[in-house]
Amino acid sequence: MSETVHKNAEKLLLRLARFGTGLSRSLTAATNEPDFVTNAPVLVLCFLDLDGPTRPGVIAEVVGLTSGGTTKLLDRMEAAGLLHRTYGAIESDHRAVQVELTARGRTLLRQATTALLEHLPDASATVKQIVSVMDELEGTAPAD
């Protein structure tokens, strides 16, 4: 692979990282909840809001954490009042745990989405740069 391809891949990584950092700063400023506007908690909040109550194993798959890591994350989020776990809520499995978003979790998520929407003009330029670099890289990735 050419040096140009590698340099473009580095540019893509850099732009994605900068985009993520800027978004995280915006979300933190808008919500004043720095512990819960990072990737994993935001994924959990969005997933629960869009898909409704679910089991922790499903959340682990979505977030990409181990079951232990997911349990710790859900413990922190539940202690903060962002979600609630119900035990024995599934008729076919009385041992099963169901996780659902609370009103506080929904409020935090709305603050985060509002912050994102307010920064769309800035984000749009970054996304265009990312797409441009991706277009340059298309077809240059190594075959499996």
Side-chain angles (χ1 to χ4, degrees):
M1 230 175 262
S2 74
E3 188 63 24
T4 302
V5 170
H6 285 284
K7 292 294 181 189
N8 282 338
E10 290 172 15
K11 288 178 188 177
L12 178 60
L13 288 171
L14 183 60
R15 286 190 172 100
L16 288 168
R18 284 183 178 164
F19 180 74
T21 300
L23 180 58
S24 291
R25 286 183 183 141
S26 296
L27 296 179
T28 298
T31 64
N32 200 26
E33 292 277 358
D35 293 339
F36 299 109
V37 290
T38 58
N39 287 348
V42 168
L43 281 173
V44 171
L45 293 172
C46 289
F47 185 75
L48 290 173
D49 192 47
L50 293 171
D51 286 8
T54 193
R55 296 182 67 168
V58 174
I59 292 172
E61 289 176 23
V62 169
V63 178
L65 294 174
T66 63
S67 61
T70 301
T71 297
K72 288 178 183 180
L73 174 62
L74 296 178
D75 286 346
R76 286 187 15 247
M77 293 179 75
E78 188 170 33
L82 302 176
L83 56 85
H84 175 71
R85 287 183 272 200
T86 304
Y87 299 85
I90 299 173
E91 272 189 47
S92 62
D93 185 355
H94 294 289
R95 299 169 299 152
V97 177
Q98 188 101 354
V99 182
E100 63 185 305
L101 198 59
T102 63
R104 185 170 189 281
R106 194 165 278 107
T107 298
L108 176 62
L109 185 56
R110 292 298 171 258
Q111 291 171 337
T113 56
T114 298
L116 172 65
L117 293 171
E118 289 173 356
H119 289 85
L120 277 183
D122 296 335
S124 179
T126 302
V127 169
K128 286 177 184 174
Q129 291 173 344
I130 290 169
V131 169
S132 174
V133 173
M134 288 176 67
D135 286 344
E136 289 177 35
L137 286 171
E138 191 171 318
T140 62
D144 289 336

